[in-house]
Structures are given as structure tokens and as C-alpha cells.
Amino acid sequence: MHKLFGRRNLLKMAGLTGAVGLTGGMSMGQHPDEVKRIFNPVQVHPQRVIRTLVGLRPYRASGFVLRTEKLGDKTLIHNYGHGGSGVTLSWGVATLAADMVSKDVSKHVAILGSGVIGLSTARVLQQRGYEVTIYTKAIPPHTTSNIAGALWFPTTLFEKDRVDSAFMSQFNQACQISYRRFQDLIGDEYGVKWINHFNIESSISYPGGTNLYPGVIDHFNPSSYFGSNQVQEFNAMLIERGLRTLALRMERACDNALALARWLEEQPTVATVHYPGLAGHPQHELARRQMCPEGYGEPRYGALLAFELRGGIDAGRKLIDSVRLCTH
């Protein structure tokens, strides 16, 4: 039901719509390829299902919670209940939550949870200079966010008669911020792309603002559109995972390895750190030439490292027996 909708096609469509509109040969809101496009009804049957994956989402009829609370000398920021729109709103609510962090507090911030909201908030705070520690029961890929459909579409989030103007103000802000942030990530490197989205037998109410739903077209042609009397089509962003985000994940893994290597170098119990990204490594210059050629972005030296402890094999055994979680 989805069709790739890149910039080239978008510009082509915009030009075609403008040209035909000037000549009066096509009514506004009609797709330029209307005569050519035929979407047959989808054959839905339990026997055609090859896999079922379920993720429980913290839906709240009154919408998500984003507010501060004093806890002794600390400030607690609640940011939960994003229903089926966690990925969609992630950068938006993360930014609003980060705005609530007082400027005069310690630069050390703790995040509870490593779903998309926790990770996005941690990243925004890191970019603002904070040192972030994440405490979590599960890490990706064992989080609900990791199996989300991840279509940019803020629905199934609240019931209109259960929210007030204060919530709607937060919601609209979060939508606009997140929408703009995801646009900066469009492309194969980050796995975000434009697609055509179809609503069958329903119309969207433009949650978050009409500008978030470009190219809205209403179709009333059952023979061409899924056999439905009414189909609404618009352009939406799909946030993909898997191989499409391998470049991004490798970039982060390399950055984490370098940060860990530098930290290990400063520990008095560590005798040697083996990582070519360290300036003191005997093959640092060779690694820089081979793995980080000029013109290819920031230098990165891989995600593998090794280190030796003072105290030999006994110290090593004690470390291994003490490790509770090792991940990047």
C-alpha cells in the first residue's frame, strides 16, 4: 500500500500539477496519474499472516504526560504515555523535556528507560553538553519501540474530549519540532524516507498542524483505489530500521568505542588500552590513513578495542565476574 515518493517525483508532480492547473485540464486535488494508478482491494485473511509481533503501548486517553516534579533537591521530569506515537513525537517531546532542565543544575542527568523517548531525550541532552546516564530494564532490540511501525503519523494518542488546551499546546509543539528534526534525517544513511500513505474510508483531522500532511488528495474512485468509496492520500515519513540504518549505528558504535578507550586510559587499574583511535597507539597514523581518508567525514577507527588490567589474569577474572551488563 506504500509507494516511494522521492524528491525527484515530488518536483515532477508539482510541475505537472502546476502546468495542468493553468490549462484547466485537471481539477485541484486530483492525482496527475489518476488514470494510470489502480490499487486493487487488499486480500486480508488470517491464513495469509506469516508473522505476528505485538508491542504493548502506554496509551492514555488524556494524552502523554510531560511535566516537572521536585523530589528533594532534584528535579524529576515525567515524560511518558505516548501511545502509538512514540517514534513520531520522539524528538519533539525530548526537546520539550530538555527545555525543562534548569540551567543552573548539575550537568549530570539520569534517564529512566531506553525506548525511543529515553534515547531521544538522552541525545538531545548530550548535544546540550550534559553527561547522561541511562538506567533501564531492557535495551534495544528488546524494547517496544524497536518493533514500532515508525510511520510519522501522530494518531492513536488521545481522545479529543479528554484533553485540555495546555496538553494541545504541548502536543502541537512536539509535532512541529519532531517533524522538522526527522526531515533533517531523510536519506539512506538514517533510514528515513517519504512514502505515499492511504487512509481508507476515513479522513485525517490534521493533528499537530495542516503543514505536517503535504500533498493531501481525496479519492472517490472505488475501481482504482482499493474498492473503497473514499480514500485519502498524503505524503508521510517512514522511519526504517535494520540494514538501512547500519551506517548510523556503526557511526555511533565507533564513537562509543573511542569514548570508552579514552576513559579506560585514565583508569589507574588499566595497564594498556589497544585501540587505533588513540593518539598513543603505535599504528594510529596508519589507521588514520587507511580508515579515515580526507573528505570522508569525521575520523572513525572501528568499534573493537581491548585492554589489559594491572594485576594480570586474577584481576581479569575478578572484572569478568563483576560485570552485570556490557553493551554499546
Side-chain angles (χ1 to χ4, degrees):
M1 289 173 52
H2 293 134
K3 173 185 173 185
L4 279 172
F5 198 76
R7 275 184 294 179
R8 188 182 300 274
N9 289 335
L10 180 63
L11 292 172
K12 187 187 298 182
M13 182 180 293
L16 181 57
T17 303
V20 177
L22 288 173
T23 61
M26 181 180 292
S27 62
M28 292 298 290
Q30 185 179 3
H31 196 284
D33 296 326
E34 191 79 49
V35 240
K36 306 175 185 175
R37 305 198 320 168
I38 296 179
F39 297 96
N40 293 320
V42 180
Q43 300 298 317
V44 180
H45 192 278
Q47 293 181 350
R48 297 174 66 92
V49 176
I50 59 174
R51 185 185 182 203
T52 301
L53 201 59
V54 178
L56 299 179
R57 304 178 180 192
Y59 175 78
R60 301 178 78 254
S62 55
F64 60 79
V65 173
L66 182 53
R67 61 178 176 82
T68 61
E69 177 185 345
K70 290 300 292 183
L71 194 65
D73 60 345
K74 294 180 173 58
T75 300
L76 179 65
I77 299 175
H78 297 280
N79 187 9
Y80 61 86
H82 303 86
S85 302
V87 175
T88 294
L89 295 176
S90 55
W91 290 115
V93 293
T95 300
L96 295 180
D99 289 344
M100 294 177 176
V101 178
S102 176
K103 301 294 187 296
D104 56 356
V105 300
S106 165
K107 282 293 184 178
H108 298 277
V109 178
I111 299 287
L112 303 184
S114 63
V116 67
I117 302 299
L119 294 178
S120 301
T121 306
R123 189 63 183 147
V124 170
L125 288 168
Q126 282 183 329
Q127 291 170 338
R128 297 187 182 188
Y130 290 93
E131 294 184 19
V132 181
T133 303
I134 297 178
Y135 298 89
T136 182
K137 179 181 178 181
I139 59 173
H142 306 296
T143 63
T144 301
S145 299
N146 209 69
I147 58 173
L151 174 73
W152 202 99
F153 196 24
T155 59
T156 65
L157 180 62
F158 60 86
E159 295 180 17
K160 292 181 180 179
D161 58 349
R162 297 285 299 278
V163 297
D164 56 22
S165 58
F167 168 79
M168 289 307 300
S169 176
Q170 276 189 332
F171 170 74
N172 291 332
Q173 277 184 280
C175 285
Q176 296 291 334
I177 294 169
S178 195
Y179 187 81
R180 184 66 187 88
R181 186 70 179 263
F182 273 118
Q183 283 183 311
D184 290 337
L185 302 176
I186 288 175
D188 289 338
E189 182 177 2
Y190 294 105
V192 181
K193 65 180 181 181
W194 287 105
I195 62 170
N196 280 20
H197 180 78
F198 299 90
N199 273 358
I200 298 178
E201 298 290 356
S202 65
S203 296
I204 57 175
S205 57
Y206 306 106
T210 56
N211 64 305
L212 307 181
Y213 307 89
V216 175
I217 305 172
D218 287 302
H219 303 288
F220 304 95
N221 185 354
S223 62
S224 296
Y225 288 90
F226 313 105
S228 174
N229 291 323
Q230 178 187 3
V231 173
Q232 191 168 62
E233 177 183 359
F234 61 92
N235 306 321
M237 287 178 283
L238 182 65
I239 299 100
E240 296 187 303
R241 295 166 302 287
L243 283 177
R244 285 189 175 272
T245 59
L246 178 60
L248 172 62
R249 288 183 282 121
M250 283 306 304
E251 176 185 301
R252 294 291 184 266
C254 293
D255 291 347
N256 289 344
L258 178 58
L260 179 58
R262 287 173 174 169
W263 180 83
L264 287 169
E265 266 194 320
E266 299 173 356
Q267 305 311 305
T269 55
V270 175
T272 309
V273 181
H274 304 282
Y275 185 69
L278 296 174
H281 191 278
Q283 293 182 315
H284 175 70
E285 283 303 312
L286 175 63
R288 187 185 59 79
R289 292 196 304 271
Q290 290 185 343
M291 303 173 70
C292 315
E294 292 185 13
Y296 283 82
E298 292 294 320
R300 289 190 169 84
Y301 300 88
L304 299 179
L305 63 82
F307 61 96
E308 300 175 30
L309 294 175
R310 300 186 192 281
I313 193 167
D314 290 336
R317 285 198 181 101
K318 183 178 179 181
L319 172 66
I320 295 299
D321 290 341
S322 303
V323 169
R324 296 178 59 189
L325 175 67
C326 184
T327 181
H328 62 74

